[in-house]
Amino acid sequence: MEYPRPLLQRPEWLSLNGPWRFTFDVDGRYGIPSDIETWPLTIEVPFAPEASASGIGDTGFHKVCWYQRDFEFRPEPGKKVLLHFGAVDYLAHVWVNDMLVARHRGGFTPFSADIGHLLVPSGNQRVTVRVEDDPEDLEKPRGKQDWRPEPHAIWYYRTTGIWQTVWLEQVPQTYVRRIRWSPHLERWEIGFEAFILGPIADELEVQIRLSSDGDLLVEDRYRVIRGEVHRRIALSDPGIDDFRNDLLWSPEHPRLIDAEIKLLKGGEVIDNITSYTALRSAKVHRDRFLLNGRLYPLKLVLDQGYWPDTLMTPPSSEAARRDVELAKAMGFNGVRKHQKLEDPRYLYWADRLGLVVWAEMPSAFRFTTRAVKRLMREWTEAIERDFSHPCVIVWVPFNESWGVPDLTATQAHRDAVHAFYHLTKTLDPDRPVIGNDGWESSATDIIGIHDYDNNPQTLRERYGPQVKPDELFDRRRPGGRILTLDGYPHRGQPIILTEFGGVAYVNPEDESHRGTWGYFRHNTLEDFEKLVLALIDVARGTAMFSGFCYTQFADTFQEANGLLYPDRTPKIPLEKVAEAVRGQVEEGALHWEST
């Protein structure tokens, strides 16, 4: 099993995934673990109770549920023991040996608790988790989780409770709590920050060693000042592009820099971690996106990040890796993770194999003060968790005005988008931010357009060379929405077709999957293939666009508009999709006639 936190790893850890005792608490009758007399069910963590892989597969409405398991663990003298949860949806209370140790609100971000002082010297330890997740609450960030009993249109089954890894690690009394990497390509430097928790001694130091493909790049030692280290590590700049490119990270050349980090006290190693980073930049310049200072057309596919039997949880690390490999095999250089903060194991494989990722905050669907506060808290935690992943190149706090439905008429809704845009730029000034993707843009570094016109010829004419950008923004209304809000005209930002396609096809012989929804539907695989490849060809070949994002990667429950079936079997040969994405299709092969 792979380490669940790939950017800060220690050699010893213990997974608590596996069978847990479980019960639904329909009426919310139980307040503390001792209130529960019987545990009628067993669940396989980290799969949600709605997922068949959990062993329960109950997709009904359940506001409260409880988990419990015993485990054997004997803490070493003088060590702290940290209990980690990758993600628990939505409000979690955690007890260890019947003592409350943690309370966390937010369904997509991690949390931890120091539990060493509560563990008994020998024998079984016990952890109990209460989760409250009101299925009808539209004020919390929920993404694609349906508020109706059965999935409809583009909404899917809910994910309740634990859905990412639960695990333990031992750390010294003083340890590295968090690190942060920030590449600065223009200066050929890598920013490094370390945050130390515990008693701070005067002689504390951090030693860092950076290497790539076995070549030593840096070996430095820094004094810890007031529990922190902040340094910019200058690398030897080879100068000429040929040599520079060898060290830069890109989807075509995903060069990672391995890091060994040691916390020293009086010269003695007290904490030892491994990590990685990369040298790359993601910027916009005028009307184009730049990767590593060079024009880089973005060729993305929209990915919901769901699996048939495990819902939002990857079935395994290998399954996450396979999704990255499939996106690359279809010619895409990136994914737009849609309405989901993805499992870090997926981001690890995107870093390792080379795939850019747009990180998007799952939406709440009502605009209230409470909804905004919840969204802001969790978005801040999300940026902190994923900041150091080189694959993440764009932040997207809002999608299609979800949660801010009255942008054209209500100042508070516009102010919310502006607040999240500027908050994100403050927390991360080095990545582009799309304030609201799809339409009704205001504060944004990129104009994202969602257009599901299924006729390639009209799509070509709508965005072709004869159309000037000011005409586009004045007259076009994809989805019946204006592209930019009044007072926020196009200021030369890159224009990207961030959703298009959405063509549905279901194999009529497949009794296991009856997809019913798509923006447009074809009943023969031949017609489906022709239309999909023609649409991709138009998006790729339109000079106005700095990139595109095809909808979507794989069929997801009733939404059958994937390039792959739910089990990731291709509907179209992967190489044919890749040819269209890369622009390698023979002339005439994509001829399309509207019927």
PDB file of all heavy atoms in Angstrom, residues 177-182 184 190-196 206 208 221-233:
ATOM      1  N   ARG A 177       5.879  19.452  10.832  1.00  0.00           N
ATOM      2  CA  ARG A 177       4.428  19.330  10.686  1.00  0.00           C
ATOM      3  C   ARG A 177       3.991  19.502   9.242  1.00  0.00           C
ATOM      4  O   ARG A 177       3.094  18.813   8.762  1.00  0.00           O
ATOM      5  CB  ARG A 177       3.733  20.373  11.570  1.00  0.00           C
ATOM      6  CG  ARG A 177       2.206  20.366  11.446  1.00  0.00           C
ATOM      7  CD  ARG A 177       1.572  21.376  12.390  1.00  0.00           C
ATOM      8  NE  ARG A 177       1.950  22.732  12.063  1.00  0.00           N
ATOM      9  CZ  ARG A 177       1.285  23.511  11.199  1.00  0.00           C
ATOM     10  NH1 ARG A 177       0.239  23.021  10.540  1.00  0.00           N
ATOM     11  NH2 ARG A 177       1.674  24.739  10.972  1.00  0.00           N
ATOM     12  N   ARG A 178       4.636  20.442   8.522  1.00  0.00           N
ATOM     13  CA  ARG A 178       4.214  20.742   7.159  1.00  0.00           C
ATOM     14  C   ARG A 178       5.376  21.319   6.380  1.00  0.00           C
ATOM     15  O   ARG A 178       6.235  22.011   6.947  1.00  0.00           O
ATOM     16  CB  ARG A 178       3.050  21.753   7.185  1.00  0.00           C
ATOM     17  CG  ARG A 178       2.495  22.146   5.830  1.00  0.00           C
ATOM     18  CD  ARG A 178       1.160  22.881   5.994  1.00  0.00           C
ATOM     19  NE  ARG A 178       1.282  24.144   6.682  1.00  0.00           N
ATOM     20  CZ  ARG A 178       1.466  25.330   6.083  1.00  0.00           C
ATOM     21  NH1 ARG A 178       1.584  25.383   4.753  1.00  0.00           N
ATOM     22  NH2 ARG A 178       1.542  26.451   6.782  1.00  0.00           N
ATOM     23  N   ILE A 179       5.435  21.006   5.089  1.00  0.00           N
ATOM     24  CA  ILE A 179       6.402  21.638   4.199  1.00  0.00           C
ATOM     25  C   ILE A 179       5.665  22.218   3.004  1.00  0.00           C
ATOM     26  O   ILE A 179       4.513  21.863   2.738  1.00  0.00           O
ATOM     27  CB  ILE A 179       7.497  20.660   3.727  1.00  0.00           C
ATOM     28  CG1 ILE A 179       6.884  19.494   2.942  1.00  0.00           C
ATOM     29  CG2 ILE A 179       8.330  20.176   4.886  1.00  0.00           C
ATOM     30  CD1 ILE A 179       7.911  18.580   2.316  1.00  0.00           C
ATOM     31  N   ARG A 180       6.350  23.093   2.289  1.00  0.00           N
ATOM     32  CA  ARG A 180       5.719  23.763   1.151  1.00  0.00           C
ATOM     33  C   ARG A 180       6.803  24.086   0.128  1.00  0.00           C
ATOM     34  O   ARG A 180       7.851  24.633   0.470  1.00  0.00           O
ATOM     35  CB  ARG A 180       5.020  25.023   1.638  1.00  0.00           C
ATOM     36  CG  ARG A 180       4.394  25.898   0.580  1.00  0.00           C
ATOM     37  CD  ARG A 180       3.526  26.932   1.269  1.00  0.00           C
ATOM     38  NE  ARG A 180       3.324  28.128   0.465  1.00  0.00           N
ATOM     39  CZ  ARG A 180       2.171  28.749   0.317  1.00  0.00           C
ATOM     40  NH1 ARG A 180       1.103  28.275   0.914  1.00  0.00           N
ATOM     41  NH2 ARG A 180       2.066  29.830  -0.407  1.00  0.00           N
ATOM     42  N   TRP A 181       6.527  23.701  -1.125  1.00  0.00           N
ATOM     43  CA  TRP A 181       7.444  23.965  -2.228  1.00  0.00           C
ATOM     44  C   TRP A 181       6.832  25.005  -3.168  1.00  0.00           C
ATOM     45  O   TRP A 181       5.639  24.954  -3.463  1.00  0.00           O
ATOM     46  CB  TRP A 181       7.710  22.695  -3.039  1.00  0.00           C
ATOM     47  CG  TRP A 181       8.287  21.551  -2.269  1.00  0.00           C
ATOM     48  CD1 TRP A 181       7.630  20.436  -1.838  1.00  0.00           C
ATOM     49  CD2 TRP A 181       9.652  21.389  -1.868  1.00  0.00           C
ATOM     50  NE1 TRP A 181       8.490  19.582  -1.186  1.00  0.00           N
ATOM     51  CE2 TRP A 181       9.745  20.144  -1.196  1.00  0.00           C
ATOM     52  CE3 TRP A 181      10.801  22.168  -2.016  1.00  0.00           C
ATOM     53  CZ2 TRP A 181      10.945  19.672  -0.676  1.00  0.00           C
ATOM     54  CZ3 TRP A 181      11.999  21.697  -1.492  1.00  0.00           C
ATOM     55  CH2 TRP A 181      12.064  20.463  -0.837  1.00  0.00           C
ATOM     56  N   SER A 182       7.660  25.928  -3.668  1.00  0.00           N
ATOM     57  CA  SER A 182       7.180  26.907  -4.645  1.00  0.00           C
ATOM     58  C   SER A 182       8.302  27.193  -5.641  1.00  0.00           C
ATOM     59  O   SER A 182       9.255  27.901  -5.307  1.00  0.00           O
ATOM     60  CB  SER A 182       6.727  28.195  -3.957  1.00  0.00           C
ATOM     61  OG  SER A 182       7.722  28.679  -3.076  1.00  0.00           O
ATOM     62  N   HIS A 184      10.403  28.872  -8.643  1.00  0.00           N
ATOM     63  CA  HIS A 184      10.521  30.212  -9.219  1.00  0.00           C
ATOM     64  C   HIS A 184      11.457  30.088 -10.416  1.00  0.00           C
ATOM     65  O   HIS A 184      12.671  30.323 -10.315  1.00  0.00           O
ATOM     66  CB  HIS A 184      11.063  31.202  -8.181  1.00  0.00           C
ATOM     67  CG  HIS A 184      10.216  31.301  -6.950  1.00  0.00           C
ATOM     68  ND1 HIS A 184       9.047  32.032  -6.908  1.00  0.00           N
ATOM     69  CD2 HIS A 184      10.340  30.738  -5.730  1.00  0.00           C
ATOM     70  CE1 HIS A 184       8.495  31.924  -5.701  1.00  0.00           C
ATOM     71  NE2 HIS A 184       9.268  31.141  -4.970  1.00  0.00           N
ATOM     72  N   ILE A 190      14.004  27.304  -6.103  1.00  0.00           N
ATOM     73  CA  ILE A 190      12.874  26.579  -5.536  1.00  0.00           C
ATOM     74  C   ILE A 190      12.664  27.082  -4.112  1.00  0.00           C
ATOM     75  O   ILE A 190      13.576  27.016  -3.273  1.00  0.00           O
ATOM     76  CB  ILE A 190      13.108  25.062  -5.537  1.00  0.00           C
ATOM     77  CG1 ILE A 190      13.172  24.551  -6.970  1.00  0.00           C
ATOM     78  CG2 ILE A 190      12.008  24.342  -4.755  1.00  0.00           C
ATOM     79  CD1 ILE A 190      13.452  23.068  -7.090  1.00  0.00           C
ATOM     80  N   GLY A 191      11.469  27.618  -3.858  1.00  0.00           N
ATOM     81  CA  GLY A 191      11.142  28.052  -2.510  1.00  0.00           C
ATOM     82  C   GLY A 191      10.837  26.858  -1.626  1.00  0.00           C
ATOM     83  O   GLY A 191      10.140  25.919  -2.039  1.00  0.00           O
ATOM     84  N   PHE A 192      11.379  26.882  -0.411  1.00  0.00           N
ATOM     85  CA  PHE A 192      11.162  25.795   0.547  1.00  0.00           C
ATOM     86  C   PHE A 192      10.763  26.390   1.879  1.00  0.00           C
ATOM     87  O   PHE A 192      11.395  27.319   2.380  1.00  0.00           O
ATOM     88  CB  PHE A 192      12.439  24.969   0.709  1.00  0.00           C
ATOM     89  CG  PHE A 192      12.386  23.986   1.856  1.00  0.00           C
ATOM     90  CD1 PHE A 192      11.584  22.856   1.775  1.00  0.00           C
ATOM     91  CD2 PHE A 192      13.126  24.205   3.012  1.00  0.00           C
ATOM     92  CE1 PHE A 192      11.534  21.948   2.830  1.00  0.00           C
ATOM     93  CE2 PHE A 192      13.081  23.304   4.069  1.00  0.00           C
ATOM     94  CZ  PHE A 192      12.273  22.171   3.978  1.00  0.00           C
ATOM     95  N   GLU A 193       9.677  25.863   2.440  1.00  0.00           N
ATOM     96  CA  GLU A 193       9.225  26.274   3.764  1.00  0.00           C
ATOM     97  C   GLU A 193       8.971  25.030   4.602  1.00  0.00           C
ATOM     98  O   GLU A 193       8.429  24.035   4.110  1.00  0.00           O
ATOM     99  CB  GLU A 193       7.951  27.109   3.679  1.00  0.00           C
ATOM    100  CG  GLU A 193       8.108  28.412   2.913  1.00  0.00           C
ATOM    101  CD  GLU A 193       6.784  29.106   2.690  1.00  0.00           C
ATOM    102  OE1 GLU A 193       6.127  28.806   1.681  1.00  0.00           O
ATOM    103  OE2 GLU A 193       6.399  29.943   3.536  1.00  0.00           O
ATOM    104  N   ALA A 194       9.375  25.093   5.862  1.00  0.00           N
ATOM    105  CA  ALA A 194       9.121  24.001   6.808  1.00  0.00           C
ATOM    106  C   ALA A 194       8.557  24.598   8.087  1.00  0.00           C
ATOM    107  O   ALA A 194       9.026  25.643   8.558  1.00  0.00           O
ATOM    108  CB  ALA A 194      10.398  23.221   7.096  1.00  0.00           C
ATOM    109  N   PHE A 195       7.545  23.925   8.622  1.00  0.00           N
ATOM    110  CA  PHE A 195       6.886  24.385   9.840  1.00  0.00           C
ATOM    111  C   PHE A 195       7.032  23.286  10.890  1.00  0.00           C
ATOM    112  O   PHE A 195       6.600  22.139  10.678  1.00  0.00           O
ATOM    113  CB  PHE A 195       5.424  24.700   9.556  1.00  0.00           C
ATOM    114  CG  PHE A 195       5.256  25.751   8.484  1.00  0.00           C
ATOM    115  CD1 PHE A 195       5.202  25.402   7.135  1.00  0.00           C
ATOM    116  CD2 PHE A 195       5.173  27.093   8.820  1.00  0.00           C
ATOM    117  CE1 PHE A 195       5.058  26.354   6.151  1.00  0.00           C
ATOM    118  CE2 PHE A 195       5.034  28.067   7.828  1.00  0.00           C
ATOM    119  CZ  PHE A 195       4.982  27.700   6.500  1.00  0.00           C
ATOM    120  N   ILE A 196       7.642  23.637  11.999  1.00  0.00           N
ATOM    121  CA  ILE A 196       8.019  22.677  13.028  1.00  0.00           C
ATOM    122  C   ILE A 196       7.059  22.804  14.202  1.00  0.00           C
ATOM    123  O   ILE A 196       6.732  23.924  14.632  1.00  0.00           O
ATOM    124  CB  ILE A 196       9.468  22.916  13.506  1.00  0.00           C
ATOM    125  CG1 ILE A 196      10.408  23.129  12.316  1.00  0.00           C
ATOM    126  CG2 ILE A 196       9.933  21.772  14.387  1.00  0.00           C
ATOM    127  CD1 ILE A 196      10.434  22.010  11.318  1.00  0.00           C
ATOM    128  N   VAL A 206      17.328  22.304   9.974  1.00  0.00           N
ATOM    129  CA  VAL A 206      16.761  21.463   8.921  1.00  0.00           C
ATOM    130  C   VAL A 206      17.830  21.259   7.856  1.00  0.00           C
ATOM    131  O   VAL A 206      18.404  22.233   7.343  1.00  0.00           O
ATOM    132  CB  VAL A 206      15.501  22.100   8.299  1.00  0.00           C
ATOM    133  CG1 VAL A 206      15.099  21.346   7.030  1.00  0.00           C
ATOM    134  CG2 VAL A 206      14.348  22.095   9.287  1.00  0.00           C
ATOM    135  N   ILE A 208      18.540  19.695   4.111  1.00  0.00           N
ATOM    136  CA  ILE A 208      17.793  19.334   2.910  1.00  0.00           C
ATOM    137  C   ILE A 208      18.756  18.908   1.816  1.00  0.00           C
ATOM    138  O   ILE A 208      19.803  19.538   1.605  1.00  0.00           O
ATOM    139  CB  ILE A 208      16.890  20.501   2.444  1.00  0.00           C
ATOM    140  CG1 ILE A 208      16.078  20.111   1.209  1.00  0.00           C
ATOM    141  CG2 ILE A 208      17.692  21.764   2.189  1.00  0.00           C
ATOM    142  CD1 ILE A 208      14.974  21.092   0.870  1.00  0.00           C
ATOM    143  N   ARG A 221      21.874  23.264   4.911  1.00  0.00           N
ATOM    144  CA  ARG A 221      21.378  23.155   6.278  1.00  0.00           C
ATOM    145  C   ARG A 221      20.950  24.544   6.739  1.00  0.00           C
ATOM    146  O   ARG A 221      21.666  25.531   6.516  1.00  0.00           O
ATOM    147  CB  ARG A 221      22.457  22.585   7.196  1.00  0.00           C
ATOM    148  CG  ARG A 221      21.972  22.301   8.607  1.00  0.00           C
ATOM    149  CD  ARG A 221      23.071  21.709   9.468  1.00  0.00           C
ATOM    150  NE  ARG A 221      23.452  20.359   9.028  1.00  0.00           N
ATOM    151  CZ  ARG A 221      24.225  19.550   9.740  1.00  0.00           C
ATOM    152  NH1 ARG A 221      24.696  19.945  10.921  1.00  0.00           N
ATOM    153  NH2 ARG A 221      24.525  18.353   9.283  1.00  0.00           N
ATOM    154  N   TYR A 222      19.755  24.623   7.368  1.00  0.00           N
ATOM    155  CA  TYR A 222      19.195  25.913   7.769  1.00  0.00           C
ATOM    156  C   TYR A 222      18.792  25.865   9.244  1.00  0.00           C
ATOM    157  O   TYR A 222      18.237  24.857   9.718  1.00  0.00           O
ATOM    158  CB  TYR A 222      17.951  26.257   6.943  1.00  0.00           C
ATOM    159  CG  TYR A 222      18.132  26.105   5.455  1.00  0.00           C
ATOM    160  CD1 TYR A 222      17.359  25.197   4.733  1.00  0.00           C
ATOM    161  CD2 TYR A 222      19.080  26.860   4.769  1.00  0.00           C
ATOM    162  CE1 TYR A 222      17.524  25.048   3.363  1.00  0.00           C
ATOM    163  CE2 TYR A 222      19.250  26.721   3.402  1.00  0.00           C
ATOM    164  CZ  TYR A 222      18.470  25.811   2.706  1.00  0.00           C
ATOM    165  OH  TYR A 222      18.638  25.664   1.355  1.00  0.00           O
ATOM    166  N   ARG A 223      19.031  26.962   9.960  1.00  0.00           N
ATOM    167  CA  ARG A 223      18.607  27.078  11.347  1.00  0.00           C
ATOM    168  C   ARG A 223      17.093  27.309  11.412  1.00  0.00           C
ATOM    169  O   ARG A 223      16.543  28.072  10.605  1.00  0.00           O
ATOM    170  CB  ARG A 223      19.345  28.244  12.019  1.00  0.00           C
ATOM    171  CG  ARG A 223      18.988  28.468  13.488  1.00  0.00           C
ATOM    172  CD  ARG A 223      19.366  27.280  14.368  1.00  0.00           C
ATOM    173  NE  ARG A 223      20.796  27.061  14.402  1.00  0.00           N
ATOM    174  CZ  ARG A 223      21.624  27.602  15.292  1.00  0.00           C
ATOM    175  NH1 ARG A 223      21.153  28.419  16.212  1.00  0.00           N
ATOM    176  NH2 ARG A 223      22.905  27.315  15.265  1.00  0.00           N
ATOM    177  N   VAL A 224      16.437  26.639  12.335  1.00  0.00           N
ATOM    178  CA  VAL A 224      15.004  26.838  12.566  1.00  0.00           C
ATOM    179  C   VAL A 224      14.822  28.081  13.429  1.00  0.00           C
ATOM    180  O   VAL A 224      15.376  28.158  14.537  1.00  0.00           O
ATOM    181  CB  VAL A 224      14.375  25.611  13.244  1.00  0.00           C
ATOM    182  CG1 VAL A 224      12.903  25.866  13.565  1.00  0.00           C
ATOM    183  CG2 VAL A 224      14.524  24.372  12.364  1.00  0.00           C
ATOM    184  N   ILE A 225      14.063  29.044  12.931  1.00  0.00           N
ATOM    185  CA  ILE A 225      13.817  30.290  13.653  1.00  0.00           C
ATOM    186  C   ILE A 225      12.337  30.367  14.003  1.00  0.00           C
ATOM    187  O   ILE A 225      11.475  30.383  13.125  1.00  0.00           O
ATOM    188  CB  ILE A 225      14.213  31.515  12.796  1.00  0.00           C
ATOM    189  CG1 ILE A 225      15.658  31.385  12.291  1.00  0.00           C
ATOM    190  CG2 ILE A 225      14.010  32.792  13.594  1.00  0.00           C
ATOM    191  CD1 ILE A 225      16.704  31.374  13.390  1.00  0.00           C
ATOM    192  N   ARG A 226      12.058  30.392  15.295  1.00  0.00           N
ATOM    193  CA  ARG A 226      10.677  30.465  15.799  1.00  0.00           C
ATOM    194  C   ARG A 226       9.786  29.398  15.154  1.00  0.00           C
ATOM    195  O   ARG A 226       8.644  29.659  14.774  1.00  0.00           O
ATOM    196  CB  ARG A 226      10.103  31.868  15.578  1.00  0.00           C
ATOM    197  CG  ARG A 226      10.745  32.915  16.485  1.00  0.00           C
ATOM    198  CD  ARG A 226      10.045  34.253  16.375  1.00  0.00           C
ATOM    199  NE  ARG A 226      10.290  34.862  15.076  1.00  0.00           N
ATOM    200  CZ  ARG A 226      11.362  35.603  14.791  1.00  0.00           C
ATOM    201  NH1 ARG A 226      12.277  35.820  15.701  1.00  0.00           N
ATOM    202  NH2 ARG A 226      11.521  36.124  13.586  1.00  0.00           N
ATOM    203  N   GLY A 227      10.343  28.216  15.012  1.00  0.00           N
ATOM    204  CA  GLY A 227       9.557  27.075  14.542  1.00  0.00           C
ATOM    205  C   GLY A 227       9.374  27.014  13.038  1.00  0.00           C
ATOM    206  O   GLY A 227       8.579  26.194  12.565  1.00  0.00           O
ATOM    207  N   GLU A 228      10.090  27.851  12.279  1.00  0.00           N
ATOM    208  CA  GLU A 228       9.891  27.874  10.834  1.00  0.00           C
ATOM    209  C   GLU A 228      11.221  28.005  10.097  1.00  0.00           C
ATOM    210  O   GLU A 228      12.201  28.519  10.633  1.00  0.00           O
ATOM    211  CB  GLU A 228       8.970  29.038  10.433  1.00  0.00           C
ATOM    212  CG  GLU A 228       7.581  28.960  11.041  1.00  0.00           C
ATOM    213  CD  GLU A 228       6.704  30.136  10.660  1.00  0.00           C
ATOM    214  OE1 GLU A 228       7.186  31.013   9.904  1.00  0.00           O
ATOM    215  OE2 GLU A 228       5.543  30.193  11.114  1.00  0.00           O
ATOM    216  N   VAL A 229      11.180  27.536   8.823  1.00  0.00           N
ATOM    217  CA  VAL A 229      12.277  27.757   7.885  1.00  0.00           C
ATOM    218  C   VAL A 229      11.679  28.291   6.593  1.00  0.00           C
ATOM    219  O   VAL A 229      10.704  27.726   6.073  1.00  0.00           O
ATOM    220  CB  VAL A 229      13.055  26.449   7.595  1.00  0.00           C
ATOM    221  CG1 VAL A 229      14.038  26.653   6.450  1.00  0.00           C
ATOM    222  CG2 VAL A 229      13.786  25.984   8.840  1.00  0.00           C
ATOM    223  N   HIS A 230      12.242  29.380   6.071  1.00  0.00           N
ATOM    224  CA  HIS A 230      11.797  29.950   4.796  1.00  0.00           C
ATOM    225  C   HIS A 230      13.042  30.255   3.974  1.00  0.00           C
ATOM    226  O   HIS A 230      13.822  31.153   4.328  1.00  0.00           O
ATOM    227  CB  HIS A 230      10.988  31.231   5.007  1.00  0.00           C
ATOM    228  CG  HIS A 230       9.765  31.041   5.848  1.00  0.00           C
ATOM    229  ND1 HIS A 230       8.545  30.714   5.316  1.00  0.00           N
ATOM    230  CD2 HIS A 230       9.590  31.111   7.196  1.00  0.00           C
ATOM    231  CE1 HIS A 230       7.662  30.598   6.296  1.00  0.00           C
ATOM    232  NE2 HIS A 230       8.263  30.841   7.446  1.00  0.00           N
ATOM    233  N   ARG A 231      13.231  29.516   2.882  1.00  0.00           N
ATOM    234  CA  ARG A 231      14.424  29.705   2.080  1.00  0.00           C
ATOM    235  C   ARG A 231      14.094  29.589   0.594  1.00  0.00           C
ATOM    236  O   ARG A 231      13.175  28.864   0.206  1.00  0.00           O
ATOM    237  CB  ARG A 231      15.491  28.666   2.424  1.00  0.00           C
ATOM    238  CG  ARG A 231      16.141  28.850   3.767  1.00  0.00           C
ATOM    239  CD  ARG A 231      17.005  30.111   3.818  1.00  0.00           C
ATOM    240  NE  ARG A 231      17.710  30.248   5.076  1.00  0.00           N
ATOM    241  CZ  ARG A 231      17.212  30.836   6.170  1.00  0.00           C
ATOM    242  NH1 ARG A 231      15.974  31.328   6.140  1.00  0.00           N
ATOM    243  NH2 ARG A 231      17.930  30.930   7.273  1.00  0.00           N
ATOM    244  N   ARG A 232      14.864  30.315  -0.215  1.00  0.00           N
ATOM    245  CA  ARG A 232      14.842  30.112  -1.654  1.00  0.00           C
ATOM    246  C   ARG A 232      16.149  29.440  -2.039  1.00  0.00           C
ATOM    247  O   ARG A 232      17.231  29.995  -1.791  1.00  0.00           O
ATOM    248  CB  ARG A 232      14.667  31.431  -2.392  1.00  0.00           C
ATOM    249  CG  ARG A 232      13.226  31.934  -2.344  1.00  0.00           C
ATOM    250  CD  ARG A 232      13.036  33.149  -3.224  1.00  0.00           C
ATOM    251  NE  ARG A 232      11.629  33.513  -3.301  1.00  0.00           N
ATOM    252  CZ  ARG A 232      11.180  34.586  -3.954  1.00  0.00           C
ATOM    253  NH1 ARG A 232      12.044  35.374  -4.580  1.00  0.00           N
ATOM    254  NH2 ARG A 232       9.892  34.861  -3.990  1.00  0.00           N
ATOM    255  N   ILE A 233      16.036  28.266  -2.611  1.00  0.00           N
ATOM    256  CA  ILE A 233      17.201  27.461  -2.937  1.00  0.00           C
ATOM    257  C   ILE A 233      17.575  27.722  -4.387  1.00  0.00           C
ATOM    258  O   ILE A 233      16.813  27.396  -5.305  1.00  0.00           O
ATOM    259  CB  ILE A 233      16.908  25.970  -2.712  1.00  0.00           C
ATOM    260  CG1 ILE A 233      16.476  25.736  -1.259  1.00  0.00           C
ATOM    261  CG2 ILE A 233      18.124  25.121  -3.068  1.00  0.00           C
ATOM    262  CD1 ILE A 233      15.949  24.336  -1.010  1.00  0.00           C
TER     263      ILE A 233
END
